Amino acid sequence: DPATGSVAVEDAPAPKNLDWKGTRRQPRFKMVDDIEVMIDGNPATLMDLSIIGAMVVSPTTLKPNQRVRMSLPHEPRAIRFSAGVAWAAFELPKGKPAPQYRAGIEFFDADGDSVQKFITAKKKK
């Protein structure tokens, strides 16, 4: 109001949740099909990725709270780091010959810049 010298302050919009539960800490990105990552030396398929975690599908057993070593295939050399299984679900997918595990992986010491470059190169358009 010019007469009182006060300035109207617009309410800032509330920050948007990154997921429907409001628990996600970083945006995640769907990956192009068939990116194979390694978890404790075993292959798994990368479904989506953020700078702090990933969702994978693995033929190898993954259990919540399991500590793992993970690597992302990146040139000139793989991005390797320690991680943990945040959650895991056993699946019997239709049309597939074997069961699989879908799991959320939390990164412990991944280099955020390297993971971000990987996301930029491999995310679905």
PDB file of all heavy atoms in Angstrom, residues 29-53:
ATOM      1  N   PHE A  29      14.152 -40.621 -12.639  1.00  0.00           N
ATOM      2  CA  PHE A  29      13.980 -40.617 -14.085  1.00  0.00           C
ATOM      3  C   PHE A  29      13.925 -42.043 -14.592  1.00  0.00           C
ATOM      4  O   PHE A  29      14.746 -42.880 -14.218  1.00  0.00           O
ATOM      5  CB  PHE A  29      15.152 -39.884 -14.755  1.00  0.00           C
ATOM      6  CG  PHE A  29      15.275 -38.458 -14.294  1.00  0.00           C
ATOM      7  CD1 PHE A  29      16.065 -38.122 -13.215  1.00  0.00           C
ATOM      8  CD2 PHE A  29      14.557 -37.455 -14.930  1.00  0.00           C
ATOM      9  CE1 PHE A  29      16.160 -36.807 -12.769  1.00  0.00           C
ATOM     10  CE2 PHE A  29      14.638 -36.141 -14.498  1.00  0.00           C
ATOM     11  CZ  PHE A  29      15.436 -35.813 -13.414  1.00  0.00           C
ATOM     12  N   LYS A  30      12.942 -42.316 -15.466  1.00  0.00           N
ATOM     13  CA  LYS A  30      12.860 -43.608 -16.140  1.00  0.00           C
ATOM     14  C   LYS A  30      14.063 -43.725 -17.069  1.00  0.00           C
ATOM     15  O   LYS A  30      14.445 -42.764 -17.743  1.00  0.00           O
ATOM     16  CB  LYS A  30      11.576 -43.715 -16.964  1.00  0.00           C
ATOM     17  CG  LYS A  30      10.338 -43.722 -16.108  1.00  0.00           C
ATOM     18  CD  LYS A  30       9.935 -45.128 -15.795  1.00  0.00           C
ATOM     19  CE  LYS A  30       8.646 -45.131 -15.010  1.00  0.00           C
ATOM     20  NZ  LYS A  30       8.698 -46.068 -13.918  1.00  0.00           N
ATOM     21  N   MET A  31      14.645 -44.906 -17.122  1.00  0.00           N
ATOM     22  CA  MET A  31      15.823 -45.135 -17.954  1.00  0.00           C
ATOM     23  C   MET A  31      15.419 -45.809 -19.272  1.00  0.00           C
ATOM     24  O   MET A  31      14.382 -46.455 -19.351  1.00  0.00           O
ATOM     25  CB  MET A  31      16.818 -46.044 -17.222  1.00  0.00           C
ATOM     26  CG  MET A  31      17.391 -45.430 -15.964  1.00  0.00           C
ATOM     27  SD  MET A  31      18.573 -44.103 -16.310  1.00  0.00           S
ATOM     28  CE  MET A  31      17.623 -42.666 -15.896  1.00  0.00           C
ATOM     29  N   VAL A  32      16.271 -45.629 -20.281  1.00  0.00           N
ATOM     30  CA  VAL A  32      16.047 -46.342 -21.536  1.00  0.00           C
ATOM     31  C   VAL A  32      16.060 -47.838 -21.236  1.00  0.00           C
ATOM     32  O   VAL A  32      16.618 -48.275 -20.226  1.00  0.00           O
ATOM     33  CB  VAL A  32      17.109 -45.976 -22.606  1.00  0.00           C
ATOM     34  CG1 VAL A  32      16.988 -44.515 -23.011  1.00  0.00           C
ATOM     35  CG2 VAL A  32      18.506 -46.292 -22.134  1.00  0.00           C
ATOM     36  N   ASP A  33      15.447 -48.619 -22.093  1.00  0.00           N
ATOM     37  CA  ASP A  33      15.294 -50.046 -21.848  1.00  0.00           C
ATOM     38  C   ASP A  33      16.624 -50.794 -21.818  1.00  0.00           C
ATOM     39  O   ASP A  33      17.561 -50.443 -22.525  1.00  0.00           O
ATOM     40  CB  ASP A  33      14.395 -50.665 -22.926  1.00  0.00           C
ATOM     41  CG  ASP A  33      12.975 -50.125 -22.854  1.00  0.00           C
ATOM     42  OD1 ASP A  33      12.583 -49.607 -21.794  1.00  0.00           O
ATOM     43  OD2 ASP A  33      12.265 -50.206 -23.872  1.00  0.00           O
ATOM     44  N   ASP A  34      16.651 -51.820 -20.992  1.00  0.00           N
ATOM     45  CA  ASP A  34      17.719 -52.811 -20.966  1.00  0.00           C
ATOM     46  C   ASP A  34      19.100 -52.287 -20.576  1.00  0.00           C
ATOM     47  O   ASP A  34      20.105 -52.744 -21.112  1.00  0.00           O
ATOM     48  CB  ASP A  34      17.797 -53.542 -22.317  1.00  0.00           C
ATOM     49  CG  ASP A  34      16.500 -54.264 -22.642  1.00  0.00           C
ATOM     50  OD1 ASP A  34      15.861 -54.783 -21.705  1.00  0.00           O
ATOM     51  OD2 ASP A  34      16.112 -54.293 -23.818  1.00  0.00           O
ATOM     52  N   ILE A  35      19.169 -51.346 -19.632  1.00  0.00           N
ATOM     53  CA  ILE A  35      20.470 -50.971 -19.082  1.00  0.00           C
ATOM     54  C   ILE A  35      20.797 -51.978 -17.987  1.00  0.00           C
ATOM     55  O   ILE A  35      20.058 -52.133 -17.024  1.00  0.00           O
ATOM     56  CB  ILE A  35      20.476 -49.546 -18.498  1.00  0.00           C
ATOM     57  CG1 ILE A  35      20.251 -48.525 -19.606  1.00  0.00           C
ATOM     58  CG2 ILE A  35      21.799 -49.281 -17.769  1.00  0.00           C
ATOM     59  CD1 ILE A  35      20.173 -47.094 -19.103  1.00  0.00           C
ATOM     60  N   GLU A  36      21.908 -52.681 -18.173  1.00  0.00           N
ATOM     61  CA  GLU A  36      22.324 -53.682 -17.195  1.00  0.00           C
ATOM     62  C   GLU A  36      23.301 -53.044 -16.210  1.00  0.00           C
ATOM     63  O   GLU A  36      24.302 -52.462 -16.612  1.00  0.00           O
ATOM     64  CB  GLU A  36      22.976 -54.875 -17.890  1.00  0.00           C
ATOM     65  CG  GLU A  36      23.328 -55.996 -16.927  1.00  0.00           C
ATOM     66  CD  GLU A  36      23.895 -57.202 -17.650  1.00  0.00           C
ATOM     67  OE1 GLU A  36      23.090 -57.984 -18.196  1.00  0.00           O
ATOM     68  OE2 GLU A  36      25.130 -57.359 -17.668  1.00  0.00           O
ATOM     69  N   VAL A  37      22.979 -53.153 -14.933  1.00  0.00           N
ATOM     70  CA  VAL A  37      23.868 -52.701 -13.866  1.00  0.00           C
ATOM     71  C   VAL A  37      24.363 -53.939 -13.131  1.00  0.00           C
ATOM     72  O   VAL A  37      23.827 -55.037 -13.313  1.00  0.00           O
ATOM     73  CB  VAL A  37      23.153 -51.738 -12.893  1.00  0.00           C
ATOM     74  CG1 VAL A  37      22.684 -50.491 -13.630  1.00  0.00           C
ATOM     75  CG2 VAL A  37      21.980 -52.406 -12.193  1.00  0.00           C
ATOM     76  N   MET A  38      25.365 -53.764 -12.305  1.00  0.00           N
ATOM     77  CA  MET A  38      25.868 -54.881 -11.515  1.00  0.00           C
ATOM     78  C   MET A  38      25.610 -54.600 -10.038  1.00  0.00           C
ATOM     79  O   MET A  38      25.872 -53.498  -9.551  1.00  0.00           O
ATOM     80  CB  MET A  38      27.368 -55.073 -11.750  1.00  0.00           C
ATOM     81  CG  MET A  38      27.722 -55.387 -13.207  1.00  0.00           C
ATOM     82  SD  MET A  38      26.917 -56.849 -13.863  1.00  0.00           S
ATOM     83  CE  MET A  38      27.950 -58.121 -13.203  1.00  0.00           C
ATOM     84  N   ILE A  39      25.067 -55.602  -9.352  1.00  0.00           N
ATOM     85  CA  ILE A  39      24.835 -55.519  -7.910  1.00  0.00           C
ATOM     86  C   ILE A  39      25.532 -56.722  -7.284  1.00  0.00           C
ATOM     87  O   ILE A  39      25.152 -57.861  -7.554  1.00  0.00           O
ATOM     88  CB  ILE A  39      23.334 -55.502  -7.581  1.00  0.00           C
ATOM     89  CG1 ILE A  39      22.681 -54.265  -8.217  1.00  0.00           C
ATOM     90  CG2 ILE A  39      23.122 -55.519  -6.067  1.00  0.00           C
ATOM     91  CD1 ILE A  39      21.191 -54.177  -8.031  1.00  0.00           C
ATOM     92  N   ASP A  40      26.562 -56.458  -6.513  1.00  0.00           N
ATOM     93  CA  ASP A  40      27.405 -57.518  -5.947  1.00  0.00           C
ATOM     94  C   ASP A  40      27.873 -58.501  -7.023  1.00  0.00           C
ATOM     95  O   ASP A  40      27.900 -59.713  -6.802  1.00  0.00           O
ATOM     96  CB  ASP A  40      26.669 -58.262  -4.821  1.00  0.00           C
ATOM     97  CG  ASP A  40      26.668 -57.491  -3.512  1.00  0.00           C
ATOM     98  OD1 ASP A  40      27.398 -56.484  -3.405  1.00  0.00           O
ATOM     99  OD2 ASP A  40      25.935 -57.903  -2.588  1.00  0.00           O
ATOM    100  N   GLY A  41      28.205 -57.969  -8.192  1.00  0.00           N
ATOM    101  CA  GLY A  41      28.721 -58.795  -9.278  1.00  0.00           C
ATOM    102  C   GLY A  41      27.671 -59.530 -10.084  1.00  0.00           C
ATOM    103  O   GLY A  41      28.004 -60.271 -11.007  1.00  0.00           O
ATOM    104  N   ASN A  42      26.395 -59.339  -9.755  1.00  0.00           N
ATOM    105  CA  ASN A  42      25.306 -59.989 -10.480  1.00  0.00           C
ATOM    106  C   ASN A  42      24.553 -58.960 -11.319  1.00  0.00           C
ATOM    107  O   ASN A  42      24.323 -57.840 -10.869  1.00  0.00           O
ATOM    108  CB  ASN A  42      24.330 -60.643  -9.493  1.00  0.00           C
ATOM    109  CG  ASN A  42      24.995 -61.714  -8.665  1.00  0.00           C
ATOM    110  OD1 ASN A  42      25.578 -62.645  -9.201  1.00  0.00           O
ATOM    111  ND2 ASN A  42      24.939 -61.577  -7.349  1.00  0.00           N
ATOM    112  N   PRO A  43      24.131 -59.347 -12.536  1.00  0.00           N
ATOM    113  CA  PRO A  43      23.419 -58.394 -13.386  1.00  0.00           C
ATOM    114  C   PRO A  43      22.005 -58.109 -12.883  1.00  0.00           C
ATOM    115  O   PRO A  43      21.341 -58.978 -12.332  1.00  0.00           O
ATOM    116  CB  PRO A  43      23.382 -59.088 -14.745  1.00  0.00           C
ATOM    117  CG  PRO A  43      23.470 -60.545 -14.431  1.00  0.00           C
ATOM    118  CD  PRO A  43      24.301 -60.646 -13.175  1.00  0.00           C
ATOM    119  N   ALA A  44      21.571 -56.865 -13.081  1.00  0.00           N
ATOM    120  CA  ALA A  44      20.200 -56.439 -12.790  1.00  0.00           C
ATOM    121  C   ALA A  44      19.834 -55.399 -13.840  1.00  0.00           C
ATOM    122  O   ALA A  44      20.711 -54.779 -14.446  1.00  0.00           O
ATOM    123  CB  ALA A  44      20.100 -55.849 -11.386  1.00  0.00           C
ATOM    124  N   THR A  45      18.546 -55.212 -14.067  1.00  0.00           N
ATOM    125  CA  THR A  45      18.076 -54.227 -15.043  1.00  0.00           C
ATOM    126  C   THR A  45      17.690 -52.957 -14.318  1.00  0.00           C
ATOM    127  O   THR A  45      16.913 -52.992 -13.353  1.00  0.00           O
ATOM    128  CB  THR A  45      16.870 -54.772 -15.825  1.00  0.00           C
ATOM    129  OG1 THR A  45      17.262 -55.989 -16.473  1.00  0.00           O
ATOM    130  CG2 THR A  45      16.398 -53.778 -16.879  1.00  0.00           C
ATOM    131  N   LEU A  46      18.209 -51.829 -14.784  1.00  0.00           N
ATOM    132  CA  LEU A  46      17.928 -50.526 -14.193  1.00  0.00           C
ATOM    133  C   LEU A  46      16.609 -50.000 -14.734  1.00  0.00           C
ATOM    134  O   LEU A  46      16.443 -49.840 -15.941  1.00  0.00           O
ATOM    135  CB  LEU A  46      19.069 -49.560 -14.528  1.00  0.00           C
ATOM    136  CG  LEU A  46      18.985 -48.162 -13.941  1.00  0.00           C
ATOM    137  CD1 LEU A  46      19.041 -48.202 -12.421  1.00  0.00           C
ATOM    138  CD2 LEU A  46      20.141 -47.321 -14.491  1.00  0.00           C
ATOM    139  N   MET A  47      15.653 -49.724 -13.848  1.00  0.00           N
ATOM    140  CA  MET A  47      14.341 -49.238 -14.256  1.00  0.00           C
ATOM    141  C   MET A  47      14.252 -47.709 -14.173  1.00  0.00           C
ATOM    142  O   MET A  47      13.799 -47.055 -15.088  1.00  0.00           O
ATOM    143  CB  MET A  47      13.241 -49.858 -13.394  1.00  0.00           C
ATOM    144  CG  MET A  47      13.263 -51.379 -13.378  1.00  0.00           C
ATOM    145  SD  MET A  47      13.192 -52.126 -15.017  1.00  0.00           S
ATOM    146  CE  MET A  47      11.522 -51.740 -15.464  1.00  0.00           C
ATOM    147  N   ASP A  48      14.637 -47.159 -13.010  1.00  0.00           N
ATOM    148  CA  ASP A  48      14.692 -45.710 -12.876  1.00  0.00           C
ATOM    149  C   ASP A  48      15.829 -45.342 -11.934  1.00  0.00           C
ATOM    150  O   ASP A  48      16.381 -46.185 -11.241  1.00  0.00           O
ATOM    151  CB  ASP A  48      13.352 -45.091 -12.475  1.00  0.00           C
ATOM    152  CG  ASP A  48      12.833 -45.496 -11.120  1.00  0.00           C
ATOM    153  OD1 ASP A  48      13.632 -45.615 -10.164  1.00  0.00           O
ATOM    154  OD2 ASP A  48      11.620 -45.660 -10.978  1.00  0.00           O
ATOM    155  N   LEU A  49      16.184 -44.046 -11.967  1.00  0.00           N
ATOM    156  CA  LEU A  49      17.394 -43.611 -11.282  1.00  0.00           C
ATOM    157  C   LEU A  49      17.254 -42.172 -10.811  1.00  0.00           C
ATOM    158  O   LEU A  49      16.662 -41.341 -11.499  1.00  0.00           O
ATOM    159  CB  LEU A  49      18.568 -43.722 -12.269  1.00  0.00           C
ATOM    160  CG  LEU A  49      19.972 -43.383 -11.792  1.00  0.00           C
ATOM    161  CD1 LEU A  49      20.436 -44.334 -10.702  1.00  0.00           C
ATOM    162  CD2 LEU A  49      20.934 -43.444 -12.974  1.00  0.00           C
ATOM    163  N   SER A  50      17.784 -41.889  -9.624  1.00  0.00           N
ATOM    164  CA  SER A  50      17.962 -40.524  -9.130  1.00  0.00           C
ATOM    165  C   SER A  50      19.413 -40.437  -8.664  1.00  0.00           C
ATOM    166  O   SER A  50      20.139 -41.435  -8.698  1.00  0.00           O
ATOM    167  CB  SER A  50      17.003 -40.223  -7.974  1.00  0.00           C
ATOM    168  OG  SER A  50      17.459 -40.807  -6.771  1.00  0.00           O
ATOM    169  N   ILE A  51      19.833 -39.267  -8.215  1.00  0.00           N
ATOM    170  CA  ILE A  51      21.232 -39.164  -7.770  1.00  0.00           C
ATOM    171  C   ILE A  51      21.463 -39.844  -6.423  1.00  0.00           C
ATOM    172  O   ILE A  51      22.605 -40.007  -6.014  1.00  0.00           O
ATOM    173  CB  ILE A  51      21.728 -37.702  -7.737  1.00  0.00           C
ATOM    174  CG1 ILE A  51      20.916 -36.854  -6.760  1.00  0.00           C
ATOM    175  CG2 ILE A  51      21.758 -37.106  -9.124  1.00  0.00           C
ATOM    176  CD1 ILE A  51      21.511 -35.493  -6.503  1.00  0.00           C
ATOM    177  N   ILE A  52      20.389 -40.275  -5.754  1.00  0.00           N
ATOM    178  CA  ILE A  52      20.550 -40.933  -4.451  1.00  0.00           C
ATOM    179  C   ILE A  52      20.002 -42.357  -4.407  1.00  0.00           C
ATOM    180  O   ILE A  52      20.085 -43.012  -3.372  1.00  0.00           O
ATOM    181  CB  ILE A  52      19.906 -40.097  -3.323  1.00  0.00           C
ATOM    182  CG1 ILE A  52      18.419 -39.905  -3.562  1.00  0.00           C
ATOM    183  CG2 ILE A  52      20.628 -38.778  -3.156  1.00  0.00           C
ATOM    184  CD1 ILE A  52      17.670 -39.293  -2.380  1.00  0.00           C
ATOM    185  N   GLY A  53      19.465 -42.855  -5.528  1.00  0.00           N
ATOM    186  CA  GLY A  53      18.925 -44.202  -5.499  1.00  0.00           C
ATOM    187  C   GLY A  53      18.423 -44.670  -6.851  1.00  0.00           C
ATOM    188  O   GLY A  53      18.441 -43.921  -7.828  1.00  0.00           O
TER     189      GLY A  53
END
